[in-house]
Amino acid sequence: IILIAVIGILLVLGIAVFFAYNNIANYNPETATLSIKAGDVEIDRNSQGWFPATNGMKLIASDKLKTGKAASAIITFYESITAEVDENSEVSVKVLGEKYSALKLEGGSVWSKFTKLSGVESYEIQTPNAVAAVRGTEFGVDYKDGETWVANAEGEVVMESDGDVKLVEKGKRMK
């Protein structure tokens, strides 16, 4: 009976080690997770052309994401940053780092919430003519018709455009 108990314990430990190793081996901190809220969402990976995105897929640096009419998606970075991409928007994942992550908004709107839960220290959204950078906040960025607007719901948002750095106060919106 003791021998059977020892074999049982070793078997359970072996299975636990296998699953733990498998989870560690498949963990890639240089990815973000995509959640599709509604509509048609497409991905362009490595400039290979657009293909339909799937809910829960992993995004990597350089991936481009495009939402169609009445479509939206959420990109989650390191469980501490969420970026909600609104309809008719296009973004690129520029940087996925443990301390710093960045998106580039080519057109449309992104609303982000940023907390420092997992050690990410800063996050930014770039547009063709501005950069919005944050440290622990919730904010939105719109880029339409050649203009960038940044709105701040809470925390601290710094916007840089044409060498001019501005602090977007809580509850304010500016271009």
Side-chain angles (χ1 to χ4, degrees):
I1 290 185
I2 293 175
L3 182 59
I4 293 173
V6 169
I7 291 172
I9 291 171
L10 290 174
L11 183 62
V12 169
L13 286 173
I15 291 170
V17 167
F18 170 78
F19 282 110
Y21 174 76
N22 193 34
N23 284 339
I24 291 169
N26 289 327
Y27 175 71
N28 182 358
E30 302 301 314
T31 62
T33 304
L34 179 66
S35 302
I36 299 172
K37 288 182 62 180
D40 294 325
V41 178
E42 295 180 300
I43 299 293
D44 179 5
R45 179 160 289 163
N46 299 322
S47 299
Q48 296 295 310
W50 295 100
F51 63 90
T54 56
N55 201 36
M57 77 182 295
K58 299 297 182 188
L59 301 178
I60 60 173
S62 81
D63 278 353
K64 294 179 183 176
L65 179 141
K66 179 169 55 173
T67 56
K69 184 172 176 64
S72 63
I74 297 174
I75 303 170
T76 304
F77 304 85
Y78 300 99
E79 299 178 2
S80 81
I81 302 167
T82 57
E84 185 169 342
V85 182
D86 290 337
E87 70 175 340
N88 298 320
S89 297
E90 186 175 328
V91 298
S92 300
V93 179
K94 298 305 281 182
V95 180
L96 279 173
E98 290 187 37
K99 299 286 183 191
Y100 163 75
S101 292
L103 291 177
K104 180 160 188 186
L105 178 61
E106 300 292 343
S109 300
V110 174
W111 187 261
S112 295
K113 183 161 187 154
F114 173 75
T115 62
K116 294 183 183 179
L117 292 179
S118 65
V120 178
E121 295 175 1
S122 66
Y123 166 66
E124 68 183 34
I125 296 180
Q126 306 162 2
T127 70
N129 62 5
V131 176
V134 298
R135 290 160 194 85
T137 194
E138 185 172 345
F139 73 106
V141 178
D142 294 323
Y143 179 71
K144 292 180 181 138
D145 301 323
E147 291 186 340
T148 300
W149 286 86
V150 177
N152 182 6
E154 66 179 66
E156 180 180 303
V157 177
V158 177
M159 178 179 172
E160 179 182 347
S161 179
D162 298 324
D164 186 22
V165 178
K166 304 172 191 171
L167 178 64
V168 183
E169 296 177 14
K170 180 179 175 181
K172 301 288 183 183
R173 184 173 187 256
M174 68 172 39
K175 69 176 185 169

